[in-house]
Amino acid sequence: MTEPVDADHAHRILLDHADRKVTGPLEDPAVLAAVVGVERLVVAAGSTDEAVLRSALTGDVVADADPDRVAALVAEARSHVMAGLLRRATGQAVDAGIVNPASGGYEITTDATLLRAAVRAAQGSIDAMPYYGARYGARGSRFATTDSAWLVSLATLAEDRAVHQVEWLSRVLAARGMPSWLLEIHLDALVAEVRSVADSGAVGSLPVAADALGRARRRHVDDDLLRSADSWADEALGDALPVPRAGALMAAAVADERAGVTRDDRALVDWLTDSARSDESATTRLLGVRQRILDEAR
């Protein structure tokens, strides 16, 4: 008998995995989608409690959580599980496309414990940096999740290969307006999440890859300059700041340009100074902060 592929079936699968107890490799695409969907709710709800997660999945209000965000994540999770059910029915492989259809279907970890850690690192990094949501929205959140699940799979590579892969991703993302500093932060969060749930060896080459990004940045923009850039931007623009931490973002983009990761910092600066976000006065002040950064960077 053919299994139903509908929202009710997907909802039941999500509820079945609200306990977060499944471990080991996830070969069923519907289950993988459910694990990812539930873990994204863990971050949004700020809780790993099964009762809280089941409440979120059934549409109840979750204390201290954004109800619109929770509802959107539940709807998206249900859609992804339905896509997983279709894959299950046709025997298709597990890949990033299950939970991120725009990804093209690259390889991600299927280990349930590591996958949860990757999701938490991704969503936590997004929440900590409002720029992600302001610029990339839900699509960016999905890519952060699957990129994180790909990054954690690099842990088993030799250090030089892992660094090479991470540097490649940093160039791709920086060209799209995400300075390498953001990937550096994400990797640090990923290492911390993996260490919290697995043995010390599970992080493998990831700390070395994160350190490689950090060392490359600090040759041109050290941590003190990142902090100073934030202070300069806050002082110069106040409430007119287009996004929080705009100063540090500009400093990080300058570091990428100086390191040869990008040709210039326009992918970020053009967005920050677009008239939809910054009026003429704010743009002038932002560019003034950028010039201070350029003068201080090595």
Side-chain angles (χ1 to χ4, degrees):
M1 182 177 178
T2 303
E3 283 188 306
V5 178
D6 56 35
D8 287 341
H9 190 191
H11 184 67
R12 289 194 298 273
I13 292 173
L14 284 164
L15 288 173
D16 286 345
H17 291 280
D19 60 7
R20 304 173 65 247
K21 289 183 178 178
V22 66
T23 59
L26 302 174
E27 299 176 355
D28 183 332
V31 172
L32 184 141
V35 167
V36 170
V38 168
E39 208 63 20
R40 293 178 81 194
L41 282 175
V42 164
V43 179
S47 175
T48 58
D49 184 83
E50 181 182 353
V52 171
L53 296 173
R54 291 179 71 87
S55 292
L57 288 167
T58 54
D60 294 337
V61 174
V62 176
D64 301 321
D66 180 342
D68 292 336
R69 181 186 179 194
V70 169
L73 288 174
V74 170
E76 194 168 275
R78 193 177 296 124
S79 173
H80 292 161
V81 174
M82 288 173 64
L85 286 169
L86 285 171
R87 287 198 178 211
R88 176 198 285 178
T90 56
Q92 294 181 62
V94 170
D95 59 37
I98 300 167
V99 292
N100 182 10
S103 69
Y106 50 81
E107 181 181 345
I108 59 174
T109 186
T110 59
D111 180 272
T113 301
L114 296 180
L115 182 60
R116 291 189 187 99
V119 172
R120 291 194 303 275
Q123 300 307 306
S125 296
I126 285 175
D127 288 350
M129 192 65 64
Y131 170 65
Y132 281 121
R135 182 163 186 178
Y136 304 104
R139 175 184 169 90
S141 178
R142 289 190 293 273
F143 267 100
T145 292
T146 51
D147 283 354
S148 194
W150 174 75
L151 284 166
V152 78
S153 72
L154 304 182
T156 59
L157 296 182
E159 291 179 356
D160 59 338
R161 289 187 61 203
V163 169
H164 178 76
Q165 292 292 320
V166 165
E167 288 177 340
W168 167 80
L169 181 59
S170 75
R171 291 192 295 272
V172 171
L173 297 179
R176 296 173 181 171
M178 286 170 271
S180 300
W181 173 58
L182 296 179
L183 182 55
E184 179 190 336
I185 293 171
H186 184 159
L187 279 167
D188 286 340
L190 181 57
V191 167
E193 289 289 356
V194 171
R195 282 177 171 158
S196 74
V197 295
D199 63 76
S200 59
V203 296
S205 297
L206 295 179
V208 174
D211 185 59
L213 292 184
R215 283 187 287 106
R217 171 183 59 78
R218 292 185 185 97
R219 291 189 191 105
H220 307 283
V221 171
D222 60 20
D223 296 345
D224 286 341
L225 183 49
L226 283 178
R227 287 188 288 269
S228 294
D230 264 341
S231 296
W232 298 337
D234 290 345
E235 291 167 3
L237 284 95
D239 292 341
L241 206 64
V243 288
R245 307 221 63 187
L249 287 165
M250 288 194 295
V254 167
D256 281 343
E257 179 184 0
R258 296 280 172 93
V261 175
T262 56
R263 288 187 296 179
D264 54 48
D265 58 357
R266 290 187 60 182
L268 174 74
V269 174
D270 286 356
W271 185 87
L272 291 173
T273 58
D274 187 274
S275 59
R277 280 165 289 280
S278 299
D279 60 22
E280 186 175 348
S281 173
T283 292
T284 298
R285 285 175 282 163
L286 269 173
L287 294 178
V289 172
R290 175 178 175 270
Q291 188 58 55
R292 290 185 72 177
I293 294 166
L294 289 168
D295 292 342
E296 292 292 329
R298 295 186 289 274

